[in-house]
Amino acid sequence: MLQIFLQGFAVYFIIWWMTLFAVLPIGLRTQADDNDVVLGTVPSAPTRFRAAFVFSLTTLISTLVYGLWYVCDTYFGWGFDALPQLGPSFY
């Protein structure tokens, strides 16, 4: 039972981490956009980082993606084992 939970958590963590990098640029305002570049920083640095928004949206999207994966794997049998093997088999 613990192994199943850890596998599910690992899949969710990977989905969450990949979603984070997709969500980060959403709504980003750079210092160059606001014409307020602070000395010693790059113009592409964010004006203000909205961590709560980014992490909430990341969690929401990754939960939906994980739920879709769980339904496909549990009810339809379309898990990672159903994907074609593109590389060589060493076992």
Side-chain angles (χ1 to χ4, degrees), residues 11-28:
V11 169
Y12 180 78
F13 180 75
I14 291 169
I15 292 171
W16 190 91
W17 197 252
M18 289 173 36
T19 306
L20 173 67
F21 288 107
V23 169
L24 273 175
I26 295 176
L28 178 70

Side-chain angles (χ1 to χ4, degrees), residues 41-52:
T41 62
V42 294
S44 61
T47 303
R48 63 184 181 103
F49 178 62
R50 302 177 302 170

Side-chain angles (χ1 to χ4, degrees), residues 83-91:
L83 295 174
Q85 183 176 356
L86 300 176
S89 178
F90 294 109
Y91 52 90

